[in-house]
Amino acid sequence: MSRSLYIFSGFLVLLVVVGVYLIRDHQQALSEPLVVYTEIVQGYDSEPLLPLPAAEALDKDKVELGQRLFHDPQLSRDNTVSCASCHNLKAGGDDDKPISTGIGGAMDTLNAPTVFNSSFNIAQFWDGRAASLEEQAAGPVHNPIEMGSNWDEVLAKLVADHQYPEIFDISYPDGITADNIVDAIVTFERSLVTPDGRFDRYLRGDTTALNSDEIEGYRRFKQYGCVSCHQGIGIGGNMYQRFGVVKGYFDNRPLSKEDLGRFNVTGQEQDRHVFKVPSLRNITLTAPYLHDGSAQSLEEVVQIMGQYQLGNELSDQDVDLIVAFLGTLTGRWNGEDLQ
Amino acid sequence: MSHLPEKIEVDLSSRHLFVRGGVIITIALLLLTLMYLKAEAVSPQAHIGYTQQLRLLREADAKVDSEMLAARLEISRNYDALTSYVNEMKEAAQALLNPPTFLRLANSVQIEKVAAELQKVLQHKADLIDRFKSYNAIVRNSLAYFQESASRLSGVPDPLNNQLENYVRQALFFARDPDPQSAYRLHFIRLKIESEALPSEYQTLVGTLFLHGSVVEEYLLSIDQLTRTILGLANVSKQATLLTSYLITHNLQPASKASLASA
């Protein structure tokens, strides 16, 4: 009888040990503190524009592979067009054309946006139809006007390449796949951040980084309301806005499908002529401007914005000062000023 | 047998007890082992991971509301935080579409359905937040221009000056407390002034004032309504439904009972 009692007691101890083990993780989860509201309160900032942070820490091998893919025309059907064809990193991250050209000289329908700092955008493309860089990256490969290819064709080329299989194996155990191609390109694109421009240094307290005209331009940029939409670290890129807020920009103009903007994505009337507000980072390097590339100079586009978005006929002096300020938004990449 | 010595009877009785005890212990051991194995089938990590996603979603959702109101009140002057919180919210909602694999198939399907309904509401919320940002930027801009134009009215002669000052007062009242009646009154005053011939030297100034006044009229009611709509969406109740549904299905798992019993 007493032996049974001993054994039973042993079981009780065992039960307690097992029970403690099983509920331990639950207890840990329940005891984690909630952290939210202090962060929000501390996050408020009286300055609408903020300095651009450095690129996040990224896998170096993936960045290198992504860079190689980004410049590789094998991603296009006829091996003539790469991502860099329209997003030239030596020319502000876009091309200098109003409308880009794809395979066989086919004309695209919109002005190519810069790829620099694109990871900070709310979405990709002028109409925001790609929610992420990952969604965007596959688009041009399949677009019949741009690269006109498909993953089967691209994979066949890369697998047959004498270098890619080995390079992919370094970063991706499953080798060359469409997902891995996209991941590598996107990782490279996330590295395309251009901090430490003169304006960033000014925001961080270096008052000598801007001259008096540029500072006055910044003041007017805020005073005239440009900053209502062009704000945050990207100085734009984090919201959508109607083109023609106070005056119909598209009135009495021949309309194209692309002019409908986000309406093409949502089908909602409120989104007619609504576009992603572009980032103004490196803006002096990315002419021509607007979704259709119809504005040749910054002076022209600043006038248009004043007239149609702000309801303010800006004087020549206003325009010159604001353009001077915009010139300070050119950043640095790979240790050099963007050209 | 009735004449067997007493000692032998005692020995037999204790042997029976020992055998019986052994059988009971063996059965108990087998039961415990089975319960333990079943408990192991319910991955605590997967359970904790899912409940953490639920908590992350609740936090992100609350941050979105808070940041939207901060933007509305001009405490927050850029949309980076709001954009980031909306992304967090969408990512958490996406993760909740995949409940832990230890759930029974029928339960899992049920949870996926509730999570999909929640995601739909949150996507709608994200779309409305996009519209909020757009409208809020427009109103903020036009209010600034409106006040700047109003400050330059001092040189305008009466009775135009009186009419314009009345318009400005009504507009600022409307900006503080927008309601359809005030909007109508404002609109009526503006039309009345516009119907009268304006001296040419004040046409630009009054034109700017009215341009931005009409933008405020148009968008302020919309943004007010939009804010109420966003805050009144069913996201909170849907989150509660998902949490309750998940906890019920989790507790219905035989393994969960085993886990509880063993605990």
Side-chain angles (χ1 to χ4, degrees):
Chain A
M1 210 38 202
S2 57
R3 283 176 69 184
S4 299
L5 269 175
Y6 283 133
I7 293 167
F8 186 66
S9 303
F11 270 122
L12 277 180
V13 172
L14 185 67
L15 278 172
V16 169
V17 170
V18 171
V20 167
Y21 170 77
L22 287 174
I23 64 170
R24 189 186 51 189
D25 288 340
H26 297 259
Q27 293 287 352
Q28 277 177 352
L30 292 171
S31 64
E32 282 172 18
L34 287 171
V35 245
V36 193
Y37 299 102
T38 49
E39 180 194 324
I40 294 175
V41 173
Q42 286 163 2
Y44 292 153
D45 197 316
S46 60
E47 196 61 46
L49 306 190
L50 302 169
L52 198 61
E56 58 189 303
L58 296 161
D59 184 318
K60 193 165 168 279
D61 292 326
K62 285 186 183 177
V63 170
E64 282 177 11
L65 173 57
Q67 183 164 14
R68 179 186 281 256
L69 290 164
F70 189 86
H71 290 88
D72 194 337
Q74 288 188 92
L75 267 62
S76 65
R77 166 158 283 182
D78 61 1
N79 300 324
T80 58
V81 176
S82 71
C83 306
S85 303
C86 301
H87 301 286
N88 185 351
L89 302 183
K90 292 176 181 166
D94 69 348
D95 52 18
D96 297 331
K97 303 167 187 167
I99 303 291
S100 303
T101 48
I103 55 169
M107 295 298 285
D108 211 335
T109 51
L110 287 164
N111 181 246
T114 178
V115 71
F116 281 113
N117 306 308
S118 56
S119 57
F120 297 114
N121 288 343
I122 186 173
Q124 307 301 323
F125 297 113
W126 281 95
D127 56 11
R129 65 182 179 275
S132 64
L133 281 174
E134 283 79 2
E135 272 187 52
Q136 185 277 332
V141 173
H142 294 85
N143 188 320
I145 295 172
E146 295 177 3
M147 292 175 165
S149 189
N150 58 65
W151 286 129
D152 287 342
E153 278 185 11
V154 172
L155 290 173
K157 288 182 200 174
L158 298 192
V159 168
D161 187 278
H162 66 286
Q163 288 183 318
Y164 275 117
E166 197 180 327
I167 302 173
F168 266 88
D169 283 346
I170 296 170
S171 299
Y172 300 100
D174 51 344
I176 303 176
T177 67
D179 284 346
N180 293 344
I181 293 170
V182 167
D183 184 67
I185 292 174
V186 167
T187 306
F188 172 61
E189 288 176 339
R190 289 193 198 286
S191 76
L192 299 176
V193 177
T194 62
D196 298 327
R198 286 198 292 130
F199 183 62
D200 290 321
R201 297 205 294 276
Y202 176 78
L203 285 178
R204 289 196 168 98
D206 179 1
T207 51
T208 63
L210 268 58
N211 65 35
S212 57
D213 279 357
E214 291 161 347
I215 291 171
E216 178 59 18
Y218 176 40
R219 196 187 67 75
R220 295 192 192 192
F221 182 85
K222 290 195 283 188
Q223 182 193 349
Y224 294 153
C226 314
V227 80
S228 299
C229 295
H230 294 284
Q231 32 64 44
I233 55 174
I235 315 180
N238 61 3
M239 63 178 288
Y240 301 99
Q241 189 55 277
R242 178 185 306 282
F243 189 14
V245 168
V246 293
K247 189 174 172 186
Y249 178 79
F250 295 99
D251 295 350
N252 307 316
R253 289 173 199 261
L255 270 185
S256 70
K257 184 170 179 279
E258 284 67 32
D259 294 331
L260 300 179
R262 196 149 171 74
F263 176 82
N264 292 326
V265 180
T266 68
Q268 296 198 24
E269 196 53 41
Q270 299 101 313
D271 288 329
R272 192 177 286 270
H273 307 313
V274 169
F275 295 88
K276 182 181 71 184
V277 174
S279 164
L280 298 184
R281 294 276 176 188
N282 309 303
I283 192 72
T284 55
L285 306 177
T286 60
Y289 304 104
L290 301 181
H291 69 289
D292 54 2
S294 58
Q296 298 304 313
S297 67
L298 266 182
E299 285 77 6
E300 185 183 350
V301 80
V302 169
Q303 283 283 14
I304 291 171
M305 289 292 116
Q307 196 178 353
Y308 292 94
Q309 300 301 98
L310 305 175
N312 188 352
E313 298 287 343
L314 298 172
S315 69
D316 288 346
Q317 188 197 34
D318 288 333
V319 172
D320 289 344
L321 289 168
I322 290 172
V323 169
F325 159 66
L326 295 176
T328 70
L329 302 179
T330 304
R332 294 167 65 80
W333 181 61
N334 272 354
E336 292 178 9
D337 291 338
L338 280 190
Q339 300 291 328
Chain B
M1 288 291 281
S2 61
H3 295 97
L4 282 172
E6 202 175 279
K7 191 182 171 193
I8 296 172
E9 280 185 10
V10 170
D11 283 349
L12 277 174
S13 168
S14 59
R15 190 180 295 167
H16 278 146
L17 271 174
F18 186 75
V19 170
R20 233 181 269 164
V23 169
I24 290 168
I25 287 164
T26 308
I27 291 169
L29 254 178
L30 285 170
L31 272 173
L32 276 170
T33 308
L34 188 69
M35 286 159 77
Y36 179 75
L37 289 174
K38 285 242 176 198
E40 282 296 287
V42 176
S43 160
Q45 281 74 27
H47 172 63
I48 289 167
Y50 200 72
T51 50
Q52 272 180 343
Q53 282 300 330
L54 277 161
R55 182 197 284 182
L56 282 175
L57 175 61
R58 205 171 62 224
E59 288 176 2
D61 197 8
K63 286 193 283 187
V64 168
D65 291 348
S66 174
E67 186 63 22
M68 179 186 72
L69 292 173
R72 181 80 183 83
L73 298 170
E74 296 198 40
I75 298 170
S76 186
R77 297 182 65 198
N78 66 64
Y79 296 123
D80 282 350
L82 184 54
T83 307
S84 167
Y85 296 153
V86 168
N87 282 340
E88 280 178 32
M89 184 182 78
K90 284 159 74 174
E91 282 168 14
Q94 180 69 32
L96 288 169
L97 292 176
N98 302 308
T101 50
F102 59 69
L103 293 181
R104 286 172 173 165
L105 182 61
N107 291 340
S108 186
V109 169
Q110 172 65 17
I111 294 297
E112 282 170 28
K113 191 180 163 200
V114 177
E117 285 171 12
L118 172 61
Q119 191 197 33
K120 197 174 165 190
V121 173
L122 292 174
Q123 182 56 53
H124 183 49
K125 178 170 184 170
D127 294 341
L128 293 178
I129 293 283
D130 281 341
R131 191 153 297 144
F132 166 86
K133 290 194 282 190
S134 167
Y135 288 7
N136 195 48
I138 292 170
V139 167
R140 189 185 287 186
N141 182 56
S142 277
L143 272 174
Y145 271 102
F146 184 83
Q147 292 181 41
E148 199 269 335
S149 302
S151 70
R152 291 192 282 131
L153 290 175
S154 55
V156 178
D158 287 333
L160 178 60
N161 188 37
N162 279 340
Q163 289 175 307
L164 289 173
E165 282 190 351
N166 183 37
Y167 174 71
V168 170
R169 262 196 309 276
Q170 294 290 344
L172 293 177
F173 176 77
F174 173 70
R176 225 182 353 259
D177 186 19
D179 70 271
Q181 279 186 333
S182 305
Y184 179 76
R185 197 162 47 239
L186 192 61
H187 187 68
F188 179 76
I189 296 170
R190 179 164 59 83
L191 289 181
K192 188 168 181 298
I193 300 172
E194 278 178 333
S195 67
E196 295 169 8
L198 286 171
S200 59
E201 63 267 38
Y202 300 118
Q203 277 181 355
T204 305
L205 175 61
V206 175
T208 305
L209 186 76
F210 283 171
L211 172 66
H212 291 287
S214 61
V215 170
V216 171
E217 276 172 41
E218 183 186 344
Y219 283 93
L220 205 53
L221 274 180
S222 302
I223 199 169
D224 207 47
Q225 182 59 43
L226 197 53
T227 309
R228 287 174 206 274
T229 305
I230 291 168
L231 294 176
L233 285 173
N235 48 324
V236 175
S237 62
K238 295 267 182 210
Q239 282 175 53
T241 306
L242 178 58
L243 177 64
T244 311
S245 304
Y246 172 69
L247 289 178
I248 289 170
T249 53
H250 174 260
N251 288 338
L252 282 176
Q253 290 294 118
S256 294
K257 289 177 179 169
S259 172
L260 282 173
S262 61

